[in-house]
Amino acid sequence: MPVGTGSTVGALDALADVAARPEAYAAQWKARTGGRVVGILPMNFPREIAHAAGVLPVLLQESREPDTMGRHLLAEFYCGFTRNLADSAAKGALDYCDGFFVADHCTQLLGAVDVVRAEAPGSPVFLGQLPPSLTDEWARGEARSMMRTFVDEMARFAGVPVGDAALSRSIALSNDNRTLLRELFAARRAGNAALSSPQLQAVVKSGMVMDLAEHTELLRQVIQGLADLPRDNRVRLHLSGHLCHAPRPELLAAIEECGAIVVDDDLFTGTRWFSTDVAEDGDPVEALACWYLERDRTAPCPTRVKHETDWEDTLVEAVEASGAEGVIVLMVRFCEPHMLYYPELRKRLNERGIPHLLLETEHEGLPVETVQTRVEALLERIRRTAPVEVSR
Amino acid sequence: MTAPTTDKSSRLAINKAGGKMVADYWDRIFTARERGEKVVWYNGSAVNPIFQAAGMAWCHGEAFSARLAAQHLEGPAQLAGQEYGYVGELCSYARTHLGCAVLSRKRATGSANGTGMVGLPEQAELAGRLPTPDLFVNAYAGCSTGQQWDDISFRVFGKEVPIFNVSMPFMWSNRPGEGYMVGEEWERSSRYVAEQLRELTTVLESITGRPFDWDAYRQNMAYLKQASELRQEAMRLCRLTPAPATFWDWIASVAHINFLPASQELVDFFAAVKAEIEQRVADGVGAIADERYRVYFDGFMNWNHLGLLAKKFARYDVAVVAGRYTHHAFWQEPQLIDPEDPLLGHAQNNLLCPMNHSTKTIERLVLRDCEYYGVDGIVFHSTRTCRAFTNPQRLVAKAAQEKRGLATMFFEGDIADASYYKDEVLDSRLTAMLETIDVRRARA
């Protein structure tokens, strides 16, 4: 079945191309505009600040290259993303970036960023730490102060002043983009099966890399001509986790090939990315600080400390809202916040009788047969326990 | 080269008395409830002088995990953690401590039969000895996992125990002129942490129901300053050849400087450490029988194998004279402490955790140490579940080779999970490194 009109298909192809080769897009953008590119590290640096400075923010993605030169720069017990980042830096594959900005304090990420700084000595690497403990009395002031610092540093990097008006315009544009992404994912949740999980991932991932206006325009084309394709009777699944970077599209395809359909997620390269808008009225720097502090309420993140919100609550609510029959937790191997939080998720899913499966991922090696065997076992368990319709 | 087999290590005699001080401390923790004391579980930096001044019993999570590992008692706690759902690649300090939390919580709520994998005798041994907390305090520098770990402890206890978080900025050094104890980043971070420590005192007042005893706190910090100065002076004596004490001796007194009560007894202990080392210097006695090589140890301690490693290096005639873990932590900059107004110096020493600097700074500190102690090479303990300590190692090794011509080697192990240590791998790599040093000496 076609996913939509010709323009939808064309837009999807364009987005998929960027998602597959972000560095090629960035190089082409630089050649086209003469502008500067800044590599930003997941998960909390606000791209609006770079956009307001006229710089292209590229959220660095895991490459598809096997790790080689970087293998001796970080130990093998780091997550695939950070090891690959170190490898990319060692190979010069990040040379298209004129600088790097980091707002997160993940230990493994810091290790990788230190490698980036060592391997790209000519490019500035600015680390500003947003307060990780969100409910402290001083968190709001600290977050605001750091957002101000980011704005000033970005202005210094870009060589242009970054005023409130420009920031507000970027925030509005970014909100538009998030709204469209939410619309697309809401359609999936409501039963439209026109787009597969790999296709939706490409839509999000490309948005982490592209010029905002350009991505938003392509998104509109996707949505305008999207077919309304009701989902069939495949087992409905929710995908959870996979922080900081995207799971391999082949993994998503392998899951759906088993007879499942993904109806919702809380992946970073999924609903987590566009969960929260930035307020458009008032001081834009203050608004960015609030966005950072509030994001954990809409999409609780195990990398932050916030005692009032619980990831397991939003997970169960999302499962109930979408009608998902089971959950696959995708955990990046060696991701410590996720390893720490996983038992809380498991406990709640067990309490609610929601079948689930933990799958760990690595940069290299996707054991499709093993994954599919485990997913099939989960689906079989779900089917066995599903109510049976009896015809009279 | 065949591995020699006799024990050639000669650890400081004072370590025995030191061991009793640590055992007594833990016994007091285990019986804190009987004395009606409030108990705080904390992780990360040494905020304990504040707890001591508040009249609370303090239990350092990492220290408890380390102690279990050193006593080879970590198994049941790690099994309980595994049963609860913690993956084996998670920080083994956290896994062990959270396993204790799970057992402790089950016992406190009267559901000690809840775990199927850990036998009841082991549960009683562990969970019965660690008193449940009245407060969690997290003050982790240089490790995001440390901060998240206490958030999870808070959740394991059903969010019923209050928690206070001290955020410690990572010392990255964005600008020229910023670095170890210098620059705007250092000044700003110091004030930020000091203010949080001040806030902690008001939280403790609400827990204990008593005004915070600032005089007691000042006295505690004065004791710590004295103890640290003695420790630093004694450490510097190990520059001499043969080294009168080794890294393993300093490991044996980490607990003392890190979390034992600040007191005259503590000062006296480090005075005795220094005196014994001075006597060895006077007598020309080394910490190992035949010192032929001097190396620096970079990595977290492998608590499961402390005795084994001390003996192994000595058997190869290797004096491990200093290390990042022992020499760049634990009040190592005592001059920053003003006993009359100690909060700022307290905060600054907390910030100077050996994991809380970017690679640029760590490289400078490690190479400076290597030069000071006259080492032939660096042994890197690639600490499997401690990414924070492992972070800069590969780049520092590269710099040590290229800038100082030092021999380097890596061996894999862990802080509290014995399964990651491979004895034969260490033997073969150490042999290779020593041969490299021999060849270089022959060519010189």
Side-chain angles (χ1 to χ4, degrees), chain B residues 270-414:
Chain B
F270 280 105
V273 169
K274 186 183 168 200
E276 185 176 351
I277 289 175
E278 285 172 331
Q279 190 59 51
R280 282 189 172 189
V281 171
D283 297 342
V285 173
I288 65 170
D290 302 297
E291 179 181 311
R292 288 199 294 139
Y293 311 95
R294 295 166 69 89
V295 302
Y296 189 83
F297 191 92
D298 188 284
F300 229 135
M301 185 53 211
N302 186 316
W303 292 106
N304 307 94
H305 300 101
L306 169 55
L308 182 148
L309 290 172
K311 288 173 187 164
K312 180 184 292 292
F313 280 88
R315 282 175 196 159
Y316 282 98
D317 301 331
V318 176
V320 184
V321 291
R324 175 155 60 105
Y325 177 53
T326 46
H327 287 53
H328 289 287
F330 318 121
W331 312 106
Q332 76 274 28
E333 301 290 356
Q335 76 284 0
L336 295 172
I337 299 170
D338 174 2
E340 293 305 310
D341 185 13
L343 263 184
L344 185 66
H346 184 162
Q348 290 178 319
N349 271 277
N350 284 175
L351 274 169
L352 295 175
C353 163
M355 308 183 299
N356 200 36
H357 311 287
S358 67
T359 295
K360 279 198 299 193
T361 300
I362 291 173
E363 176 190 311
R364 196 166 67 77
L365 295 175
V366 169
L367 296 190
R368 187 188 71 184
D369 281 357
C370 287
E371 190 171 341
Y372 182 83
Y373 287 99
V375 303
D376 304 297
I378 307 178
V379 173
F380 289 92
H381 177 214
S382 189
T383 317
R384 177 80 184 199
T385 70
C386 182
R387 284 87 190 176
F389 221 105
T390 309
N391 256 347
Q393 288 184 329
R394 307 296 176 103
L395 293 175
V396 171
K398 200 172 158 205
Q401 293 162 16
E402 291 172 0
K403 295 180 182 175
R404 295 284 188 278
L406 292 170
T408 64
M409 60 157 277
F410 282 79
F411 76 100
E412 195 169 292
D414 194 37

Side-chain angles (χ1 to χ4, degrees), chain A residues 78 129 153 307 310 346, chain B residues 83 155 159 170 175 391:
Chain A
Y78 280 57
Q129 297 160 78
E153 280 300 323
H307 307 306
D310 302 300
R346 188 179 85 144
Chain B
E83 184 189 26
R155 291 167 188 277
K159 296 186 173 183
F170 184 78
R175 302 186 198 294
N391 256 347

